[in-house]
């Protein structure tokens, strides 16, 4: 009976330690994905603005070929 109780306690302790490690890994992956999402959004905002600026410059250049001031 004493051996069964010890085995049961060891099993419970091992299961709880394993869960903590698994949750730690899941948290690291979740944080990594969230950080990458933030980086992507910032990159897209910057490049969209650069694209809009370039489009406006191109439009003004083409317009200047046809309209004389």
């Amino acid at each position: 009976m004493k051996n069964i109780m010890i085995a049961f306690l060891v099993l419970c302790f091992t299961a709880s330690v394993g869960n903590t490690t698994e949750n730690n890994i899941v948290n690291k992956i979740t944080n990594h994905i969230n950080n990458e999402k933030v980086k992507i959004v910032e990159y897209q905002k910057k490049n969209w603005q650069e694209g809009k600026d370039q489009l406006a410059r191109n439009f003004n250049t083409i317009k200047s070929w046809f309209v004389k001031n």
Side-chain angles (χ1 to χ4, degrees):
M1 187 68 166
K2 191 175 184 181
N3 290 339
I4 293 174
M5 291 296 283
I6 291 173
F8 179 73
L9 291 174
V10 168
L11 179 65
C12 289
F13 179 72
T14 306
S16 67
V17 170
N19 253 353
T20 304
T21 305
E22 185 177 313
N23 288 339
N24 227 359
I25 292 171
V26 170
N27 287 339
K28 286 181 182 180
I29 292 171
T30 303
N31 287 339
H32 176 72
I33 291 171
N34 287 336
N35 291 339
E36 289 299 313
K37 180 183 173 192
V38 168
K39 288 179 188 177
I40 289 170
V41 168
E42 289 174 8
Y43 177 80
Q44 287 176 338
K45 282 181 184 178
K46 177 184 157 213
N47 283 336
W48 273 98
Q49 188 59 46
E50 288 176 3
K52 287 179 184 179
D53 295 343
Q54 181 181 7
L55 186 60
R57 286 192 308 269
N58 290 346
F59 179 75
N60 288 334
T61 301
I62 293 170
K63 184 178 171 185
S64 71
W65 294 341
F66 298 103
V67 176
K68 301 277 182 179
N69 287 336

